[in-house]
Amino acid sequence: MTLQGLEKNFGEKIDNEVKIEPKDWMPDAYRKTNIRQISQHAHSEIVGMLPEGNWISRAPTLKRKAILLAKVQDEAGHGLYLYSACETLGITREETINDLHSGKAKYSSIFNYPTLTWADIGAIGWLVDGAAIINQVMLTRTSYGPYARAMVRICKEESFHQRQGFEILLVLSKGSKEQKEMCQDAINRWWWPSLMMFGPKDAESTNSDQSMKWKIKRKSNDELRQNFVDMIAEQIKTLGMKLPDDNLKWNEERNHYDFGEINWEEFWNVVKGNGPCNKQRLDARRKAWEEGEWVREAAAAYAEKRK
Ligand code: 3HC
């Protein structure tokens, strides 16, 4: 088939909602942008284990410890799902991981903030996983088959993550004065970075246009961000807490909440590696990779022996 024929075939599949599978012909740029997004998504899951992992040994009760352990283990599984989906596009696990360790690949800016109190674990579950769900439910319909299918399982586990986070904050919001203050403080620190998870404004989004055309993305960054604000602005009423945004106000005409301007300088600063914990996060990942060398060697030797 000529290149034109292949491109036409590919375009028809996208138009007719036929999933693109690993063995299908696809434009190099489609392959490249899926590798970029899926690998960075996987890195986010794995790096995202670090801020929460910090509280596994400090959880206030055995029950909370067990729940947090389960959540962090889920994130590891999400990362492995996504690394595997990425490999179907022809990039090896080593190459992908090296891109993270060298700083070439990104991961979500949100994980470069510190977890200062137990309430942060609640705020991460409720806000960060809540934002991730909004984005990932959309990705269950992404055009690349393995990515869409990985999202189905991930979204089921994310809703447990969000509920356990909200429940942590609900208990604190009904607790002592100090616990109420701890709850509000965590919401104040995690609100704006959670809005940044959806990426730059549509006008500054370099990948969105093409990703929408190829149905990798079904909704724009700003659309998803707005859905998230509308959801959280209602849920926070149950907590009796406030979002740190004096411009947050229901707009009857728009049928959405208006909200304040995001600090885009902070966003790009963190994306460029100058956030509060960027160095600590990458150092931890590189150390884990080095210390895990023997496990990979043993697994490879075992697989070789069994051939
Ligand atoms: N942190 C770091 N980089 C970001 C970012 C963020 N919050 N938002 C955008 N960027 C980067 C993009 O990767 C892109 O850089 P690149 O071209 O070098 O990759 C650049 O900023 C411009 O952004 P675009 O809007 O053009 O990029 P996309 O079209 O890729 O949209 C996205 C960004 C919405 C994050 C999209 O990549 C996406 O949907 N990714 C999959 C979901 C994901 O990665 N979520 C991260 C959190 S995972 C998580 O929270 C796990 C949960 O279990 C806790």
Side-chain angles (χ1 to χ4, degrees):
M1 203 188 275
T2 63
L3 181 59
Q4 283 72 8
L6 289 167
E7 283 167 343
K8 183 168 170 297
N9 215 356
F10 173 81
E12 280 164 3
K13 280 187 176 164
I14 296 288
D15 295 345
N16 302 324
E17 300 293 339
V18 175
K19 287 286 179 246
I20 305 301
E21 297 298 338
K23 290 199 170 54
D24 292 345
W25 183 89
M26 62 186 85
D28 284 347
Y30 179 86
R31 183 185 302 278
K32 207 162 151 263
T33 202
N34 268 291
I35 288 176
R36 171 192 66 82
Q37 177 165 329
I38 300 170
S39 63
Q40 293 181 161
H41 195 161
H43 296 330
S44 304
E45 301 281 2
I46 299 298
V47 175
M49 294 166 71
L50 295 168
E52 293 181 302
N54 182 28
W55 279 86
I56 289 175
S57 57
R58 300 180 170 92
T61 66
L62 182 61
K63 180 187 137 203
R64 292 292 184 196
K65 183 188 187 116
I67 294 171
L68 183 55
L69 259 177
K71 179 188 190 300
V72 172
Q73 279 170 330
D74 280 352
E75 308 298 8
H78 297 174
L80 296 183
Y81 263 82
L82 290 164
Y83 283 131
S84 302
C86 212
E87 285 165 25
T88 66
L89 287 160
I91 185 168
T92 67
R93 184 70 59 94
E94 252 75 7
E95 286 169 297
T96 319
I97 303 282
N98 288 341
D99 287 350
L100 170 68
H101 295 167
S102 65
K104 186 174 159 230
K106 297 180 169 72
Y107 58 89
S108 191
S109 50
I110 189 74
F111 298 120
N112 290 309
Y113 291 85
T115 43
L116 304 177
T117 73
W118 172 251
D120 287 38
I121 300 305
I124 289 177
W126 178 44
L127 296 174
V128 175
D129 288 72
I133 291 174
I134 297 249
N135 174 297
Q136 290 169 161
V137 165
M138 172 200 68
L139 288 169
T140 58
R141 296 177 50 239
T142 192
S143 56
Y144 186 56
Y147 194 20
R149 291 188 289 271
M151 282 298 115
V152 174
R153 161 80 182 266
I154 288 176
C155 285
K156 288 197 174 92
E157 292 174 344
E158 292 293 8
S159 39
F160 140 64
H161 297 173
Q162 194 195 19
R163 282 180 177 72
Q164 62 85 39
F166 186 78
E167 200 261 337
I168 288 174
L169 296 181
L170 189 61
V171 168
L172 293 172
S173 70
K174 298 181 182 332
S176 64
K177 181 173 163 300
E178 291 74 15
Q179 286 174 322
K180 288 189 172 84
E181 283 164 2
M182 186 164 72
C183 179
Q184 184 61 64
D185 163 60
I187 293 169
N188 293 346
R189 284 184 288 107
W190 287 91
W191 173 241
W192 291 105
S194 299
L195 295 189
M196 296 173 194
M197 285 174 68
F198 294 97
K201 282 180 176 221
D202 292 349
E204 275 86 62
S205 171
T206 41
N207 299 291
S208 279
D209 206 20
Q210 185 59 66
S211 290
M212 298 282 270
K213 283 192 189 103
W214 279 333
K215 298 185 183 174
I216 295 171
K217 265 185 179 180
R218 299 285 188 153
K219 284 186 172 183
S220 76
N221 298 357
D222 287 334
E223 262 178 283
L224 290 176
R225 195 177 351 257
Q226 182 65 68
N227 295 350
F228 178 65
V229 171
D230 292 345
M231 175 179 85
I232 298 297
E234 286 304 316
Q235 289 180 355
I236 196 159
K237 291 175 184 168
T238 315
L239 295 176
M241 296 284 153
K242 236 179 82 44
L243 288 174
D245 178 0
D246 297 338
N247 296 310
L248 186 82
K249 205 156 88 313
W250 179 253
N251 182 321
E252 202 51 48
E253 231 172 84
R254 289 180 59 232
N255 202 26
H256 287 294
Y257 276 90
D258 291 337
F259 57 98
E261 188 57 18
I262 290 169
N263 180 340
W264 293 111
E265 195 191 335
E266 176 186 335
F267 169 72
W268 288 116
N269 219 1
V270 177
V271 171
K272 287 190 184 102
N274 311 316
C277 301
N278 294 59
K279 183 177 175 329
Q280 186 187 339
R281 300 288 184 244
L282 273 188
D283 287 351
R285 285 310 316 150
R286 290 185 193 113
K287 185 165 175 285
W289 182 255
E290 280 144 31
E291 291 174 352
E293 178 75 32
W294 70 272
V295 177
R296 293 191 295 278
E297 280 169 1
Y302 179 72
E304 195 51 37
K305 206 156 155 278
R306 292 202 15 121
K307 268 184 189 157

